[in-house]
Amino acid sequence: MKKSSLILPIFSIVLIAAGVTLCFVGKAKGDVFDNTVLTEGDYIHTTDITSDLNNIVIEYSNAEINVIGGADRNYIETFNISDAEINTSKASGITISDTSDYFSLAYDTIVHFNGIRNILFPGQSYSGNKKINIYLTGDYNVTQLHFTLENGNINVSHLDSNTDYNFTIKGKGDVSFEETSTKSQAYVKVNEGNVTLKQFGCVLLEGNIQTGNLHCYEENSGKHLYNLTCENGMVYLLGESQGSQYIVDTGSNAVNIDFSVQYGNIHLNDLEKNDQPNE
């Protein structure tokens, strides 16, 4: 074979080797990959929300999720989560999941090619606590937030929207809403943990806790539409027991809370006071 005919193949191999080397060097040094940076030991990835979303779906084994309203712009910030676990290709919304099987991963890699680094490091996972922060402006509305965790906490604060909330914690963790209202519905299911509602308004909240407590902090405690049941516990209104069931079929507003606790208590507290027992 002539030497001239070997130049192109050799040059191609050199370029490929250089590209692969740069991927490994960038990975090792924590340099920027898309919007991923290394900050104080955490890999932080930023995903901008540039259009209306029908839903944000998160299915994760162990993580903390924070939804924060009143932000300057709309974006998602993930800590120690691989880029490959963030799917922005669906027209309906954004999915973040660590439950994909190898077939799904291979399919996404082929159909939604995101560069050679996702082939070299398809299962890259980062040490450190997993956290997902979703920042939304006051005028932005997501149709549905659908979160499922094996273990971890879900917090929503300072958000006024028309969003449907669907939260499930299969193992252990807490759910909290603070200064949040929706003109739609919310569904919460917790296996072991507490649910806290502090100035939370919705058309209908349905939920249940297997083991744990429900704490409600309101300006007019006991004045909403309630159907509260504790199978093995008590409902407390301002610290006084109401028995194992508390039903109010008239109220001062349209907030309707239908909630049950299997093992634990329900506390209806005044917003300005801390009437709940230490448990």
Side-chain angles (χ1 to χ4, degrees):
M1 182 180 293
K2 295 182 180 180
K3 291 184 179 180
S4 59
S5 63
L6 296 174
I7 293 176
L8 183 58
I10 292 174
F11 184 67
S12 299
I13 293 172
V14 170
L15 286 178
I16 293 172
V20 171
T21 301
L22 286 174
C23 283
F24 277 95
V25 170
K27 170 179 174 288
K29 294 177 68 63
D31 290 339
V32 176
F33 268 148
D34 288 339
N35 296 317
T36 304
V37 297
L38 177 63
T39 304
E40 297 182 353
D42 289 324
Y43 281 90
I44 303 175
H45 180 94
T46 301
T47 302
D48 289 324
I49 301 174
T50 58
S51 60
D52 293 337
L53 296 177
N54 287 332
N55 57 65
I56 298 177
V57 178
I58 300 175
E59 298 178 352
Y60 223 82
S61 55
N62 195 331
E64 175 185 334
I65 304 175
N66 300 300
V67 182
I68 302 119
D72 294 332
R73 62 188 179 92
N74 302 302
Y75 66 100
I76 299 176
E77 182 181 56
T78 60
F79 292 74
N80 305 312
I81 290 176
S82 170
D83 299 2
E85 296 172 351
I86 305 171
N87 188 346
T88 61
S89 63
K90 297 181 179 180
S92 60
I94 294 174
T95 299
I96 302 174
S97 174
D98 65 349
T99 61
S100 299
D101 55 29
Y102 287 107
F103 176 81
S104 298
L105 180 61
Y107 176 84
D108 287 340
T109 301
I110 294 172
V111 176
H112 309 295
F113 179 70
N114 290 319
I116 191 171
R117 68 182 176 84
N118 282 332
I119 296 177
L120 294 173
F121 317 115
Q124 178 68 45
S125 61
Y126 304 115
S127 61
N129 295 329
K130 315 293 184 181
K131 183 165 66 173
I132 302 167
N133 293 335
I134 301 172
Y135 294 92
L136 300 174
T137 59
D139 58 353
Y140 187 83
N141 184 70
V142 181
T143 304
Q144 184 181 76
L145 297 178
H146 194 294
F147 303 158
T148 302
L149 297 177
E150 289 293 333
N151 298 285
N153 301 323
I154 301 173
N155 306 299
V156 183
S157 62
H158 306 98
L159 190 62
D160 186 358
S161 65
N162 298 318
T163 303
D164 282 336
Y165 298 101
N166 193 319
F167 297 161
T168 299
I169 299 179
K170 296 180 178 180
K172 187 175 182 178
D174 299 332
V175 174
S176 72
F177 292 91
E178 181 174 358
E179 295 184 32
T180 297
S181 64
T182 176
K183 299 177 181 64
S184 191
Q185 301 182 8
Y187 174 78
V188 177
K189 183 177 181 181
V190 174
N191 179 58
E192 181 180 354
N194 298 319
V195 175
T196 301
L197 311 176
K198 188 173 183 179
Q199 288 183 289
F200 176 62
C202 64
V203 174
L204 172 64
L205 167 66
E206 291 184 321
N208 66 81
I209 300 171
Q210 179 68 18
T211 303
N213 302 295
L214 170 65
H215 300 288
C216 301
Y217 296 90
E218 304 162 348
E219 293 180 353
N220 297 306
S221 300
K223 301 299 182 181
H224 296 316
L225 305 177
Y226 291 113
N227 186 353
L228 308 176
T229 303
C230 294
E231 296 293 334
N232 299 277
M234 293 290 178
V235 179
Y236 293 93
L237 174 59
L238 301 177
E240 295 185 5
S241 174
Q242 307 298 307
S244 62
Q245 191 172 41
Y246 184 72
I247 298 176
V248 178
D249 58 9
T250 60
S252 59
N253 53 40
V255 177
N256 189 341
I257 300 178
D258 188 337
F259 212 99
S260 65
V261 175
Q262 185 70 22
Y263 297 96
N265 302 313
I266 295 176
H267 302 273
L268 304 178
N269 304 299
D270 189 279
L271 182 63
E272 302 300 326
K273 299 179 181 179
N274 186 4
D275 295 309
Q276 72 183 51
N278 293 322
E279 56 180 314

